């Protein structure tokens, strides 16, 4: 069973629970990333979370490149 991280704000907690629901109901993963440098969250969906995180942190996603490194919540 998923364990809710205690450091999330209310909006991030709601997204986190949605992630758990969608991962069970459908065969893709909804994910939340956090950038310490920007102090911002980013959400997305993928069928391959390891590859997608690599893409984000290698700068392949131009729109969030400024937040590198991104951490998976």
């Amino acid at each position: 069973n998923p364990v809710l991280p205690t450091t999330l704000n209310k909006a991030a907690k709601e997204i986190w629970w949605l992630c758990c629901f969608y991962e069970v109901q459908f065969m893709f993963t909804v994910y939340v990333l956090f950038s310490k440098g920007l102090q911002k969250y980013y959400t997305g969906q993928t069928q391959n979370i390891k590859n997608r995180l690599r893409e984000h942190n290698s700068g392949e996603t131009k729109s969030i490149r400024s937040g590198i490194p991104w951490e998976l919540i």
Side-chain angles (χ1 to χ4, degrees):
N1 289 342
V3 177
L4 178 65
T6 59
T7 59
L8 300 180
N9 63 30
K10 184 179 178 183
K13 286 179 184 177
E14 291 173 5
I15 293 168
W16 190 88
W17 282 113
L18 284 172
C19 294
C20 294
F21 171 77
Y22 281 113
E23 187 172 296
V24 171
Q25 297 296 318
F26 307 101
M27 298 312 250
F28 63 89
T29 301
V30 176
Y31 60 92
V32 179
L33 301 178
F34 181 72
S35 168
K36 288 183 182 178
L38 295 179
Q39 291 293 300
K40 292 191 176 188
Y41 291 93
Y42 174 86
T43 60
Q45 65 183 23
T46 185
Q47 291 184 331
N48 185 332
I49 189 65
K50 289 180 182 181
N51 185 57
R52 191 66 180 125
L53 183 59
R54 182 197 55 77
E55 290 173 349
H56 283 306
N57 281 323
S58 68
E60 292 182 40
T61 307
K62 293 179 183 180
S63 62
I64 64 168
R65 190 178 292 163
S66 62
I68 295 172
W70 289 93
E71 297 178 6
L72 187 62
I73 300 287

